[in-house]
Amino acid sequence: MAAAAGWWRARLPALLVLLLRGARAEQTEEHLKREHSLTKPYQGVGSSSSSLWDLMGNAMVMTQYVRLTPDMQSKQGAVWNRVPCYLRDWEMQVHFKIHGQGKKNLNGDGFAIWYTKDRMQPGPVFGSKDNFVGLGVFVDTYPNEEKQQERVFPYISAMVSNGSLTYDHNRDGRPTELGGCTAMVRNLNHDTFLVIRYVKRRLTIMIDIDGKHEWRDCIDMAGVHLPRGYFFGTSSVTGDLSDNHDIISLKLYQLTVERSPAEEKRDKEVFLPVVDNMKLPGVEAPLEPMSGLALFLIVFFSLVALVFAIVIGVIVYNKWQQQSRKRFY
């Protein structure tokens, strides 16, 4: 009975998300992709050449979790999938725990979940490189912007970058975020979950952090175009303030979703991340290809204009010649 309950609890996030988004369950199938999932007992993680996951920095494998950083100052750690993901539609379910000795606003700094072109590159953005290419989802536990009052921390936000954007630590990433929500996730006695869902160019993030087995919306953004072939990972960093940042599991599901012909055309392959109606420096929004009729009309009127210009030129030239002869005689 307990095993059945555990199985149902593991499958619950995707099913609930489908219902909440108004999708018909019979049109969507989901399959756990073990090559992109990190689960207990974490066999060979970070130590075996056959492992699908690499450790970086101070990250440690324990029996019940992978600890990205301990509750100590100036630590940095990450775990990265070795296998690039070529799925078109997917859902990442993250089971995590953040806890430590620090009191409220005397802890830090949080952790990030990544789907990016580069992997295993340490840096200042929650332990990973800045100017990344791809998607970053940040669970930020410390407010760096002193004057802000309208948002409460911990705070979850998301950012899509083509490599030209810099994460602004001093403003907690606000200039480049797609959206976010408050999430009181520290020092809880129950499980905390986060789900990142990418279907039909729509990015949805939901959280289950209240111990009620209920999901609530955090971010819902349409028009997000992410290339295939990027890597999943998660990283964390501590500075003067610290926390234990533990990853209990990362489960990636492949979602098989029906598409109409119009959706197939809209969801064409991209080679750099882009968000509709959000200008990323160095990248112009892709133009829609011209129809055959539009191309014909452009060519036709261009030829008409060319012929008209030639006729006018001939008339002007003939008049000029006539006037020249009159002056000669």
Side-chain angles (χ1 to χ4, degrees):
M1 192 72 176
W7 181 91
W8 175 252
R9 182 64 184 84
R11 303 295 284 183
L12 196 57
L15 296 175
L16 278 176
V17 171
L18 287 173
L19 293 174
L20 289 170
R21 291 287 156 243
R24 291 186 294 171
E26 67 270 16
Q27 289 187 333
T28 304
E29 296 180 0
E30 58 178 28
H31 305 280
L32 178 66
K33 305 300 288 184
R34 298 190 182 279
E35 65 269 30
H36 301 300
S37 298
L38 177 68
T39 57
K40 290 185 280 190
Y42 318 115
Q43 193 167 12
V45 172
S47 60
S48 170
S49 59
S50 61
S51 172
L52 298 174
W53 294 84
D54 285 323
L55 294 181
M56 185 175 70
N58 301 112
M60 299 179 294
V61 177
M62 315 298 280
T63 56
Q64 299 299 315
Y65 51 81
V66 175
R67 176 155 290 171
L68 300 177
T69 60
D71 189 4
M72 299 173 63
Q73 294 179 336
S74 303
K75 299 297 181 180
Q76 180 174 299
V79 57
W80 282 92
N81 193 200
R82 290 180 177 177
V83 184
C85 178
Y86 290 96
L87 301 181
R88 191 177 190 182
D89 304 289
W90 48 264
E91 178 178 281
M92 173 62 81
Q93 300 173 18
V94 184
H95 185 186
F96 66 95
K97 187 175 182 65
I98 302 176
H99 57 106
Q101 299 299 316
K103 297 181 180 180
K104 184 178 180 181
N105 290 339
L106 291 175
N107 56 276
D109 285 324
F111 74 100
I113 304 132
W114 302 101
Y115 174 70
T116 55
K117 182 179 180 180
D118 301 311
R119 63 185 290 274
M120 297 292 287
Q121 295 194 17
V125 185
F126 296 93
S128 193
K129 65 171 288 187
D130 205 349
N131 299 103
F132 60 89
V133 179
L135 168 69
V137 176
F138 311 120
V139 182
D140 192 349
T141 58
Y142 180 76
N144 291 293
E145 188 174 6
E146 296 179 358
K147 295 182 180 180
Q148 73 84 24
Q149 296 179 347
E150 64 271 20
R151 68 173 54 173
V152 178
F153 281 72
Y155 192 84
I156 296 175
S157 64
M159 173 180 170
V160 169
S161 174
N162 61 5
S164 64
L165 298 182
T166 299
Y167 181 85
D168 189 343
H169 276 282
N170 294 330
R171 299 186 60 190
D172 302 308
R174 294 180 68 176
T176 52
E177 74 171 32
L178 299 180
C181 66
T182 294
M184 310 306 291
V185 294
R186 289 193 70 245
N187 290 337
L188 300 178
N189 294 322
H190 52 262
D191 291 333
T192 47
F193 299 88
L194 179 151
V195 60
I196 306 168
R197 192 165 190 262
Y198 182 64
V199 175
K200 294 184 178 180
R201 306 304 188 192
R202 190 178 200 96
L203 177 69
T204 305
I205 296 176
M206 302 178 72
I207 53 177
D208 174 6
I209 60 172
D210 300 319
K212 299 178 181 180
H213 294 194
E214 295 177 356
W215 289 90
R216 58 184 172 93
D217 293 337
C218 181
I219 299 171
D220 184 22
M221 175 68 68
V224 178
H225 302 262
L226 298 175
R228 301 193 222 184
Y230 285 8
F231 295 91
F232 287 105
T234 179
S235 65
S236 178
V237 67
T238 64
D240 294 333
L241 303 174
S242 62
D243 255 338
N244 296 304
H245 298 95
D246 300 336
I247 299 296
I248 299 166
S249 68
L250 300 172
K251 294 181 179 179
L252 186 80
Y253 290 90
Q254 178 182 8
L255 303 180
T256 305
V257 184
E258 291 186 359
R259 279 178 167 81
S260 66
E263 288 172 333
E264 287 287 353
K265 182 179 179 181
R266 181 198 65 192
D267 295 350
K268 58 183 180 295
E269 194 75 17
V270 295
F271 301 99
L272 272 179
V274 65
V275 180
D276 290 348
N277 303 318
M278 178 180 177
K279 183 174 176 58
L280 299 180
V283 170
E284 297 294 332
L287 298 176
E288 289 293 327
M290 288 187 293
S291 67
L293 178 60
L295 185 61
F296 169 77
L297 291 175
I298 289 174
V299 173
F300 175 76
F301 284 112
S302 297
L303 290 175
V304 170
L306 179 62
V307 170
F308 183 75
I310 291 173
V311 170
I312 294 298
V314 170
I315 293 173
V316 171
Y317 178 74
N318 288 336
K319 287 186 176 181
W320 176 80
Q321 278 193 327
Q322 291 174 3
Q323 290 175 355
S324 297
R325 291 193 192 99
K326 288 179 181 180
R327 286 197 300 267
F328 180 75
Y329 292 108

